[in-house]
Amino acid sequence: MTQAIGFVADSYASDPNASRLLLASLFVPSRFDAHANEDIPWLTQKLRTILASDPEFVLEIYERTFARGIADRSTTSIGNSRILRMTSNRQQDFELSYYNLKEFFPKFLDAEPRLATKAYVKSLHGYVLRDHPPERVETITVTLPEGSQCRLLEDYSYIWASNPDDRHGENALEMTQHFSAWLQDAKTDEAISAVQVICAENEMGIVWARLLMVAKTRADIFGSILWPIATSYPFLWAERYTKGRYRFHCGCICGPA
Amino acid sequence: MQNGSPFEQRALAFEFSDAKDPAIAREYVLKRLFTAIGRDRLQTEESAKFLQP
């Protein structure tokens, strides 16, 4: 079956609809629960090929993979050596998928910045709810002065992701570094579009915190979008635990510091 | 110093009613906020008072 995933992905362009239907079936609960540790690492090695024909499906793969995990740690074998038989477990095998997604993320951002930003938001959402579920899953809706809305879920990431530059963190956290680095240098129109996606679709505190840290250095283009959010009561009140977000206030007012 | 910053007026109006002690929370958050902005850039006397030792 795993080889068939590769064949379908490699020939994706020949019939994108049929290919997507086949590969999406890997996420059907019955299939996923029984074989995700074999299927999804293979699928996530084929993102480059799929991206060329169906970038929306790449977004879906990010969302669906990060939303799920495998708790089962039953033993699996690596290779067929009779001399040195090595073993792994189902959970560890599946987690290779997260690594593949993280590694591919910069390429996705370069090719499809808006979709990749959506994938980033969805991935972090899945990751936080799965690995760091907040005690209170209460999303605060923030109504901004001009009438638009955004959402904030305090995820306590100032505790479990206190160092934004940690190079040995979880794959999802390394994606935040990739995204921040990309946003720092992205073309103005692509950067604004990405920020608009986050404002419309994100709720996780960690995504807001990382965004506002980058925003400080590009206050000239992000200031008008993010200033009302960063200075809203829920964001100011959430700020009581952290340092990063205030730097944005200074940046907004003074220009890049 | 003028009396015209909409942002400062908005921040000063926050009540922190969901804090255990709203008065302490208000003092703490607004002091950090206005300190980060800096006295020279504040536009209201009321904001500047938060920076006084």
Side-chain angles (χ1 to χ4, degrees):
Chain A
M1 179 63 179
T2 48
Q3 284 186 327
I5 294 169
F7 296 148
V8 172
D10 287 339
S11 59
Y12 201 98
S14 64
D15 190 340
N17 290 336
S19 302
R20 182 173 186 161
L21 205 60
L22 281 170
L23 294 178
S25 70
L26 300 175
F27 291 98
V28 170
S30 57
R31 175 76 202 178
F32 188 94
D33 292 343
H35 298 287
N37 60 304
E38 301 155 359
D39 296 346
I40 309 304
W42 275 80
L43 176 65
T44 51
Q45 284 182 351
K46 294 294 180 180
L47 296 174
R48 182 189 294 271
T49 315
I50 298 169
L51 178 66
S53 303
D54 192 353
E56 293 274 355
F57 186 52
V58 175
L59 160 62
E60 191 176 321
I61 293 170
Y62 272 85
E63 178 179 11
R64 288 184 161 201
T65 305
F66 272 104
R68 308 280 291 272
I70 289 184
D72 180 12
R73 294 188 178 187
S74 55
T75 303
T76 58
S77 64
I78 302 173
N80 297 309
S81 172
R82 294 183 180 181
I83 301 167
L84 182 62
R85 194 175 188 86
M86 300 180 73
T87 62
S88 178
N89 66 58
R90 290 194 70 220
Q91 183 184 61
Q92 195 168 280
D93 291 349
F94 178 75
E95 287 175 351
L96 182 59
S97 310
Y98 303 139
Y99 174 81
N100 290 339
L101 291 171
K102 180 258 294 182
E103 286 291 297
F104 188 72
F105 186 57
K107 299 179 187 74
F108 193 17
L109 269 172
D110 285 339
E112 293 283 347
R114 193 172 172 85
L115 280 179
T117 303
K118 288 188 179 193
Y120 170 58
V121 170
K122 304 279 187 192
S123 300
L124 267 293
H125 186 268
Y127 165 71
V128 172
L129 292 186
R130 188 166 41 74
D131 277 17
H132 303 282
E135 286 181 18
R136 291 187 313 158
V137 187
E138 182 186 338
T139 301
I140 301 166
T141 299
V142 182
T143 302
L144 303 171
E146 79 280 13
S148 64
Q149 292 186 325
C150 66
R151 291 170 295 145
L152 171 64
L153 177 61
E154 258 308 304
D155 56 17
Y156 304 94
S157 51
Y158 54 86
I159 297 171
W160 49 260
S162 58
N163 178 6
D165 302 318
D166 184 4
R167 304 302 299 178
H168 304 287
E170 300 266 344
N171 290 299
L173 298 181
E174 288 194 39
M175 281 176 65
T176 67
Q177 295 167 1
H178 289 319
F179 184 79
S180 296
W182 174 82
L183 191 61
Q184 188 83 46
D185 300 321
K187 293 176 193 165
T188 301
D189 58 333
E190 291 179 352
I192 289 174
S193 177
V195 169
Q196 287 170 337
V197 166
I198 291 176
C199 292
E201 302 193 11
N202 175 59
E203 62 181 24
M204 287 303 169
I206 185 168
V207 174
W208 285 119
R210 299 296 188 264
L211 172 61
L212 293 174
M213 289 178 78
V214 176
K216 171 207 165 194
T217 61
R218 299 191 76 178
D220 54 331
I221 63 168
F222 297 138
S224 60
I225 305 172
L226 294 174
W227 171 255
I229 296 172
T231 56
S232 66
Y233 175 71
F235 277 80
L236 284 178
W237 186 216
E239 162 66 21
R240 65 195 181 278
Y241 300 116
T242 65
K243 295 177 182 173
R245 291 166 187 157
Y246 276 133
R247 296 177 193 147
F248 176 68
H249 298 310
C250 301
C252 257
I253 293 169
C254 320
Chain B
M1 199 168 284
Q2 304 163 1
N3 289 319
S5 165
F7 160 67
E8 287 174 41
Q9 296 295 351
R10 189 155 50 87
L12 290 165
F14 294 148
E15 294 178 346
F16 298 87
S17 54
D18 50 342
K20 282 182 184 172
D21 187 327
I24 291 176
R26 184 173 184 271
E27 172 81 18
Y28 176 75
V29 172
L30 294 187
K31 185 170 186 176
R32 285 183 67 181
L33 172 62
F34 294 141
T35 300
I37 291 172
R39 176 184 288 273
D40 294 345
R41 297 184 186 88
L42 292 175
Q43 294 181 28
T44 65
E45 293 286 355
E46 193 176 354
S47 305
K49 284 179 185 170
F50 282 84
L51 275 57
Q52 290 172 358

